[in-house]
Amino acid sequence: MKFSATLFAGAATLCLATTIGSSAAADGHAPSCGLNTGEAATGEPITVGGINGNAPPGDFSGGTDAAAAYFACVNANGGINGRPINYLVENDQWNPELAGQVATKLVKDEGVVALVGNGSVVEMAVNARLYADEGVMAMASGCAISECYESANIVSTNQGPLPSGIGALKYAVEELGTEHAICIGFNIPNNGGWACGWMENYMASKGKVGTSILMDPTAVDLNSVYLQALTEGADTILLMLPAAPAIGLLKVAEEQGGRDLFKWVSPTPLYDPGVADILGDYWADNLYINIELAQFDSAGADNQNWIKVMDAYGQADDRRDTFSQSGYVSAKFFVDALLALDPSTIDRDSVTAAIKGIVGAESDLLCDPYYVGDADRHMPNHSGRMVKFTGTGFEMVRDCYDIDTEYLEPILAQEAALGLR
């Protein structure tokens, strides 16, 4: 199977919205947002930005969609002590040049006080320096590259491929008997190379074997990748890929009867309500996925409020995936931080300080308290859950657990300094 834009587009249009929200909408309660006054904010707007990447090979717009919905709900309920949020969203279209242009527009021309809900594979690498130079924080929600976690002015509520992928592999080693795993990812140094490299270190630390197959994202031949995997002598495949190519590889394996030749594990991208319709029964009980936030049908208060917000203030075609949950919780923490400020003094400096001052914020969507702090890197979410694909959905097989990797050592030291450990 040659990897194609058609396949990407097919996965990008997975139906994510219709079934998740029914339970919360049915209970008749309005969503909870900010001050909950029920009165629209009419003061001077506070301008906030957001950047997503929505074009082949993937749609990372879920975070900004959810942030937009939450901000609309906040604006309808008193705003930031009377001031509404004017949320401006740009699409970088996976184009580094465009990513730089839209960030400059938001940060310099529009003068945003912060960026919230960002989700992209390119924009953080392009703009991390800009954000630091301009003293503006990006509370991201859909990160997949190293710069997103190794920059002073970017912090995300999603884990990204490194913790989630190693989390999946940790489960495979401890529960499935994995001895030799292949990490299949894109040959992008700050994405597949970064995450698969640390996966190899993790396997070595456990006395196991880890190898990597990295594909050129512009010329992917999934048949060749699968055939190469067959020659490696591994017992486990870690799909360190976005959903569309991961699904494509599973389809290649299915066509060649490969399900039982490996244990199959994946980080979060395959946790998607539309996956069941594409994969069907063949992969039931044979695919394990690490998820970065709570299950979509979790009864937790924040998860249920996310559903209500999307039902009441989202658009019909908004994605409702992990990035959407992440965008909601980023927006919620952002609003909570701004509500503690004197509304008459809100500017970029005060907002940056308020964001960096977040310590110990809690949500049932996350396993651990969220924090930012003043540091040269941020990864507050590195504990996840494990689910098994059932053929029609997902079943929790392990609740919140952390990973053990040297990569987290500076993060854990930061948490200890903040009194979180």
Side-chain angles (χ1 to χ4, degrees):
M1 177 182 291
K2 290 286 186 182
F3 196 50
S4 69
T6 301
L7 178 60
F8 276 127
T13 55
L14 292 174
C15 179
L16 305 171
T18 55
T19 60
I20 299 174
S22 57
S23 60
D27 69 9
H29 299 297
S32 174
C33 302
L35 297 172
N36 287 310
T37 65
E39 299 291 333
T42 57
E44 180 184 359
I46 300 167
T47 302
V48 177
I51 299 174
N52 64 50
N54 183 7
D59 181 356
F60 279 54
S61 64
T64 49
D65 287 347
Y70 187 72
F71 291 154
C73 184
V74 169
N75 289 345
N77 284 279
I80 305 299
N81 293 308
R83 297 182 62 179
I85 293 172
N86 175 32
Y87 188 46
L88 306 177
V89 177
E90 299 285 347
N91 178 4
D92 69 24
Q93 301 181 41
W94 286 63
N95 180 324
E97 183 177 0
L98 183 57
Q101 292 173 356
V102 298
T104 298
K105 174 185 174 183
L106 291 171
V107 173
K108 293 188 174 182
D109 299 343
E110 298 291 349
V112 299
V113 297
L115 297 105
V116 179
N118 290 21
S120 168
V121 175
V122 299
E123 87 90 2
M124 290 81 171
V126 174
N127 298 320
R129 184 72 262 162
L130 171 71
Y131 298 157
D133 289 346
E134 296 296 326
V136 64
M137 289 295 295
M139 295 183 72
S141 304
C143 286
I145 59 173
S146 58
E147 288 86 347
C148 194
Y149 303 97
E150 298 172 3
S151 300
N153 284 56
I154 303 174
V155 57
S156 186
T157 41
N158 83 306
Q159 291 184 14
L162 192 155
S164 188
I166 294 179
L169 206 51
K170 177 177 181 176
Y171 180 86
V173 168
E174 295 178 353
E175 303 292 343
L176 305 178
T178 290
E179 293 289 336
H180 180 182
I182 301 173
C183 180
I184 298 177
F186 281 144
N187 190 14
I188 303 173
N190 57 0
N191 175 257
W194 170 63
C196 287
W198 278 100
M199 164 272 182
E200 292 181 17
N201 293 344
Y202 171 78
M203 291 297 284
S205 74
K206 301 301 178 187
K208 314 293 183 184
V209 178
T211 56
S212 300
I213 299 176
L214 300 180
M215 306 179 289
D216 181 347
T218 65
V220 173
D221 185 338
L222 294 174
N223 279 307
S224 295
V225 169
Y226 180 69
L227 291 174
Q228 183 180 348
L230 290 174
T231 68
E232 296 287 346
D235 55 48
T236 299
I237 288 182
L238 172 62
L239 298 162
M240 198 78 88
L241 294 164
I247 291 169
L249 193 61
L250 290 171
K251 285 297 184 183
V252 169
E254 180 177 347
E255 291 167 0
Q256 301 189 32
R259 180 190 63 196
D260 298 328
L261 299 179
F262 301 98
K263 304 169 184 71
W264 296 85
V265 296
S266 170
T268 296
L270 280 179
Y271 182 60
D272 188 306
V275 163
D277 292 337
I278 297 175
L279 293 182
D281 293 338
Y282 181 81
W283 289 99
D285 301 325
N286 287 279
L287 175 62
Y288 294 84
I289 304 167
N290 184 273
I291 63 174
E292 302 172 14
L293 287 92
Q295 289 180 280
F296 298 135
D297 59 354
S298 164
D302 264 336
N303 190 62
Q304 289 299 305
N305 199 52
W306 162 65
I307 293 169
K308 293 178 183 178
V309 167
M310 297 307 296
D311 284 346
Y313 293 93
Q315 303 300 310
D317 59 349
D318 283 352
R319 298 179 66 86
R320 299 197 187 190
D321 52 11
T322 297
F323 289 161
S324 177
Q325 291 176 308
S326 184
Y328 161 82
V329 76
S330 290
K332 181 175 184 292
F333 290 156
F334 174 75
V335 166
D336 290 346
L338 263 61
L339 284 173
L341 301 177
D342 179 343
S344 67
T345 65
I346 288 177
D347 57 15
R348 182 177 294 173
D349 289 343
S350 63
V351 170
T352 295
I355 292 171
K356 289 187 175 182
I358 298 174
V359 177
E362 294 188 351
S363 170
D364 52 80
L365 286 164
L366 303 172
C367 287
D368 297 317
Y370 176 88
Y371 64 96
V372 182
D374 194 357
D376 60 2
R377 61 172 60 197
H378 305 279
M379 184 177 276
N381 180 10
H382 47 76
S383 299
R385 304 166 171 91
M386 202 72 183
V387 299
K388 179 176 67 176
F389 178 61
T390 65
T392 57
F394 303 91
E395 172 190 347
M396 176 91 78
V397 294
R398 182 181 285 191
D399 207 345
C400 292
Y401 65 101
D402 210 344
I403 58 173
D404 40 339
T405 167
E406 292 181 357
Y407 183 84
L408 288 182
E409 288 182 356
I411 300 297
L412 300 181
Q414 183 186 8
E415 293 175 2
L418 292 171
L420 297 173
R421 289 188 176 273

